[in-house]
Amino acid sequence: MVPILKARASQTEALRRLPDETIAEMKAAGFFNVLKPKAYGGYEMDPQVFYEVCMTLAEGCMSTAWVYGVVGVHNWQIALFDPRAAADVWGKDDSVLIASTYMPKGQVKPVEGGFRFSGRWGFSSGIDHCDWVFLGGLIFSQDQPPEYRTFMLPKSDFKVIDTWHTMGLKGTGSKDIVVDDVFVPEYRTHKASDGFMGTNPGREHFTADLYKLPFGQIFVRAVSSAAIGGLQGALDTFLEFAAVRVGDMGNKTSEQGPAQIAAAETALAIDEMKLVLNRNFGLLMDRIRAKQPLDNIAQRSHFRAQAAQVVERSAKHAYQLFSVCGGRGIFTDFALHRYVFDIFAARGHYANNPDQFERNYGSVLLGRENTDYFL
């Protein structure tokens, strides 16, 4: 699909969402089944497979990979809910997709059997292709800290507002969601604390080792891994260009020290980031399979901080490649600019800000209490 996605990239940006045929092709290839429960036609594969698909798609189109990462990971998260939630989504059609925006913007009022729910959220990637959505909200109780939950709603309960006019990730269609006082049953909610502790309502029904991973570890990589593949796409574009380019002063780009260093450092960074991703999930899955608890908070904080570094590191190397392209780099018909701006846009996601997560990890190393429960 990489060459197809490259050829379709301009169309994707013009649409400001993924073309229908791209979604159809990913469905036909089984990509959305990688993390989905077998009970609904899924494969229950290890997370490394999911991220490898995501990174490879990003070599052709980072917007496509971003939507795949975000929407595809929901087929994993729904296994954490009460099993009735998955039956609502896939009972009649197991190809249905779920979007999200986890901002804690929901106004929540507990009522008998569930909650009244309202609010407006931004950044719902791929929403045009989805029949359900996960939305974030806080439940406030007297003398208790706020409780964060994910609320699951059908398309009939929300409106989509087109606000998506951006400098990068243009094709993700990450539009706003508006909900006006709808009822959400209790079983269509998921507590963040259950995701952290591994006490999810679906654990007795969806028993694969895959679903024993902490939600925080899975999700943060869903919004950072596309940048690794996007950086590979940028490197491939640069290498093809630099191999034959002769500058206006008669200098061959391939013979220039800064170009050689940029190519080498980018290739090394991509390899290292992939190795770390696969190592981290390998360690987590090994512990789960050995029936050992995932109670090493320092390790989980370590992995969280590494995930948060990915996009900033990718942005540094994308700029490094751009800077050695000379004047050619600023033209819109040169594909490198798309990868650069897409990676820069990904840096805007809350989970891709390394500062706060490095501070928490450093605090844990220094003997202070962990303050991040999305690990």
Side-chain angles (χ1 to χ4, degrees), residues 172-218:
T172 62
S174 304
K175 300 170 183 177
D176 284 14
I177 301 295
V178 175
V179 174
D180 184 16
D181 191 30
V182 302
F183 174 72
V184 181
E186 171 80 26
Y187 74 85
R188 287 192 199 154
T189 72
H190 177 247
K191 298 178 183 179
S193 58
D194 283 337
F196 177 75
M197 298 295 294
T199 52
N200 304 293
R203 66 188 183 280
E204 301 297 331
H205 187 80
F206 301 109
T207 58
D209 289 336
L210 174 67
Y211 305 119
K212 296 171 186 174
L213 285 163
F215 175 53
Q217 297 291 332
I218 285 281

Side-chain angles (χ1 to χ4, degrees), residues 8 11 15 17-25 128-129:
R8 203 178 280 160
Q11 176 197 2
L15 286 172
R17 62 174 179 82
L18 298 192
D20 293 342
E21 54 265 40
T22 296
I23 291 291
E25 288 161 3
D128 293 307
H129 305 285

Side-chain angles (χ1 to χ4, degrees), residues 21 37 39 44 49 74 84 98 103 130 138 154 156 161 221 224-225 243 256 258 274 290 294 306 313 324 330 344 359:
E21 54 265 40
E44 295 183 357
V49 179
H74 301 147
R84 288 175 290 177
I98 309 164
M103 296 176 170
C130 298
L138 294 172
S156 58
I161 309 298
R221 287 292 185 171
S224 65
S225 298
Q256 300 305 303
K274 286 186 174 183
L294 300 179
Q306 286 177 316
R313 291 187 67 189
V324 292
I330 69 173
F344 285 1
R359 286 190 62 190

Side-chain angles (χ1 to χ4, degrees), residues 102 141 177 231 252 255 269:
Y102 293 100
S141 303
I177 301 295
L231 185 60
K252 294 181 179 179
E255 296 177 354

Side-chain angles (χ1 to χ4, degrees), residues 23-308:
I23 291 291
E25 288 161 3
M26 288 197 289
K27 284 185 175 182
F31 294 162
F32 291 108
N33 291 334
V34 171
L35 300 181
K36 185 192 288 186
K38 289 183 178 180
Y40 293 100
Y43 306 149
E44 295 183 357
M45 301 175 88
D46 281 358
Q48 296 95 314
V49 179
F50 176 71
Y51 299 114
E52 184 64 31
V53 172
C54 182
M55 290 185 288
T56 304
L57 291 172
E59 294 176 23
C61 172
M62 195 167 150
S63 285
T64 299
W66 181 274
V67 171
Y68 174 68
V70 172
V71 173
V73 84
H74 301 147
N75 290 352
W76 178 89
Q77 188 190 2
I78 198 170
L80 310 185
F81 281 68
D82 183 299
R84 288 175 290 177
D88 285 352
V89 174
W90 293 319
K92 295 180 180 179
D93 180 359
D94 63 15
S95 71
V96 166
L97 300 178
I98 309 164
S100 72
T101 167
Y102 293 100
M103 296 176 170
K105 295 289 190 72
Q107 289 87 57
V108 186
K109 179 183 177 182
V111 295
E112 184 177 355
F115 307 89
R116 302 302 302 184
F117 194 61
S118 300
R120 179 165 180 160
W121 298 256
F123 300 97
S124 187
S125 301
I127 186 64
D128 293 307
H129 305 285
C130 298
D131 291 336
W132 291 77
V133 69
F134 290 150
L135 299 172
L138 294 172
I139 300 174
F140 294 91
S141 303
Q142 190 173 2
D143 300 325
Q144 296 290 331
E147 179 190 86
Y148 180 88
R149 291 198 192 192
T150 300
F151 295 76
M152 191 181 87
L153 284 71
K155 184 183 289 188
S156 58
D157 283 355
F158 61 85
K159 294 180 181 178
V160 178
I161 309 298
D162 186 359
T163 56
W164 197 243
H165 299 274
T166 57
M167 51 77 81
L169 294 176
K170 295 178 181 179
T172 62
S174 304
K175 300 170 183 177
D176 284 14
I177 301 295
V178 175
V179 174
D180 184 16
D181 191 30
V182 302
F183 174 72
V184 181
E186 171 80 26
Y187 74 85
R188 287 192 199 154
T189 72
H190 177 247
K191 298 178 183 179
S193 58
D194 283 337
F196 177 75
M197 298 295 294
T199 52
N200 304 293
R203 66 188 183 280
E204 301 297 331
H205 187 80
F206 301 109
T207 58
D209 289 336
L210 174 67
Y211 305 119
K212 296 171 186 174
L213 285 163
F215 175 53
Q217 297 291 332
I218 285 281
F219 179 78
V220 295
R221 287 292 185 171
V223 294
S224 65
S225 298
I228 303 174
L231 185 60
Q232 182 67 61
L235 177 60
D236 292 344
T237 301
F238 172 74
L239 294 177
E240 183 178 357
F241 155 79
V244 298
R245 182 193 183 242
V246 178
D248 292 339
M249 303 302 292
N251 298 319
K252 294 181 179 179
T253 301
S254 62
E255 296 177 354
Q256 300 305 303
Q260 295 164 347
I261 291 170
E265 291 186 349
T266 301
L268 291 168
I270 292 167
D271 186 52
E272 180 185 332
M273 288 188 287
K274 286 186 174 183
L275 284 169
V276 167
L277 185 159
N278 288 315
R279 187 278 311 267
N280 291 358
F281 281 107
L283 289 173
L284 290 171
M285 292 302 297
D286 284 348
R287 288 190 66 84
I288 290 170
R289 288 176 176 134
K291 302 189 184 308
Q292 296 173 347
L294 300 179
D295 55 359
N296 188 334
I297 296 303
Q299 183 185 64
R300 285 166 64 171
S301 299
H302 182 110
F303 292 173
R304 174 79 156 101
Q306 286 177 316

